[in-house]
């Protein structure tokens, strides 16, 4: 919730700037700042739906945040696949260590995405938008789409008609309700 509150403040009241927590010039130079978002309220008021936070345990025993990625977090597919292999190879280690499961991540991600659909849509169509096969995280894009049971699309697969997004299918156009965008803002 903290990222959503912070981002909402930047694009609305800007108390974080007025109070001097962040210098105004720093925001103006930030590559990810989007002037077009000033005054915008995203669906359901949620700016940040998914975040990727890398944690490390330091030699002092404390856990530190190594990286906090709010844009296009990647790496979860490797965690899921690694965990599967590790549990098969060393099942006792996981049961003895009380390691929490991650196997439900794709279904939780799907639930998060469908929550963002318009309220009147009972069975939303969700897609994962990828820049394509040459992107370094393409494996993850395709893995997550497959695990959630949704379509993996590129920009050329989508069209806007009458204010709605549609994906091209072999049966014609199908309306899209939620896009899980795995493309940085600069590449849209």
């Amino acid at each position: 919730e903290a990222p959503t509150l912070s981002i909402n403040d930047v694009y609305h009241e800007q108390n974080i700037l007025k109070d001097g927590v962040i210098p105004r010039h720093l925001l103006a130079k930030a590559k990810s700042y989007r002037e077009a978002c000033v005054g915008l309220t995203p669906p359901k008021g949620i700016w940040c739906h998914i975040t990727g936070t890398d944690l490390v345990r330091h030699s002092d025993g404390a856990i530190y945040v190594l990286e906090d990625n709010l844009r296009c977090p990647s790496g979860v597919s490797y965690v899921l696949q690694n965990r599967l292999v590790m549990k098969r190879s060393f099942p006792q280690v996981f049961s003895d260590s009380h390691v929490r499961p991650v196997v439900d991540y794709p279904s939780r991600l799907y639930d998060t995405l469908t929550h963002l659909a318009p309220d009147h849509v009972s069975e939303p169509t969700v897609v994962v938008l990828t820049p394509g096969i040459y992107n370094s995280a393409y494996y993850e894009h395709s893995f997550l789409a497959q695990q959630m049971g949704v379509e993996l699309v590129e920009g050329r697969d989508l069209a806007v008609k009458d204010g709605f997004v549609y994906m091209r299918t072999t049966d014609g156009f199908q309306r899209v309700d939620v896009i899980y965008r795995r493309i940085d803002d600069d590449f849209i």
Side-chain angles (χ1 to χ4, degrees), residues 11 33-40 47:
Y11 289 118
Y33 178 71
R34 299 290 180 248
E35 187 72 36
C37 290
V38 172
L40 177 82
W47 285 93

Side-chain angles (χ1 to χ4, degrees), residues 124-176:
T125 298
V126 176
V127 298
V128 175
L129 176 60
T130 179
I133 61 172
Y134 298 109
N135 183 271
S136 62
Y138 182 76
Y139 167 77
E140 176 153 297
H141 306 164
S142 60
F143 176 82
L144 290 174
Q146 184 269 330
Q147 291 293 301
M148 290 189 292
V150 303
E151 295 295 327
L152 179 66
V153 298
E154 295 180 30
R156 65 182 173 207
D157 301 322
L158 303 176
V160 176
K161 293 173 25 177
D162 302 321
F164 295 99
V165 176
Y166 291 85
M167 97 179 120
R168 291 177 173 86
T169 72
T170 56
D171 293 326
F173 285 105
Q174 179 182 350
R175 185 170 156 180
V176 173

Side-chain angles (χ1 to χ4, degrees), residues 4 20 23 27 44 49 55 69 77 85 91 104-105 129 132 150 164 185-186:
T4 286
L27 181 66
K44 307 210 177 169
H49 311 92
L55 304 175
N69 193 333
S77 61
V85 170
D104 63 342
Y105 181 86
L129 176 60
V150 303
F164 295 99
D185 295 344
D186 294 335

Side-chain angles (χ1 to χ4, degrees), residues 64-157:
Y64 295 93
V65 174
L66 180 64
E67 179 182 19
D68 196 6
N69 193 333
L70 299 176
R71 290 169 294 136
C72 290
S74 62
V76 73
S77 61
Y78 302 105
V79 170
L80 295 170
Q81 292 294 73
N82 186 345
R83 180 70 61 89
L84 183 67
V85 170
M86 293 294 288
K87 282 182 79 173
R88 285 183 186 157
S89 302
F90 307 103
Q92 197 63 35
V93 171
F94 283 87
S95 61
D96 292 349
S97 302
H98 307 290
V99 175
R100 296 175 104 182
V102 293
V103 70
D104 63 342
Y105 181 86
S107 63
R108 293 177 117 197
L109 176 59
Y110 180 78
D111 291 345
T112 297
L113 295 171
T114 58
H115 172 74
L116 299 169
D119 291 331
H120 67 280
V121 177
S122 60
E123 293 185 38
T125 298
V126 176
V127 298
V128 175
L129 176 60
T130 179
I133 61 172
Y134 298 109
N135 183 271
S136 62
Y138 182 76
Y139 167 77
E140 176 153 297
H141 306 164
S142 60
F143 176 82
L144 290 174
Q146 184 269 330
Q147 291 293 301
M148 290 189 292
V150 303
E151 295 295 327
L152 179 66
V153 298
E154 295 180 30
R156 65 182 173 207
D157 301 322

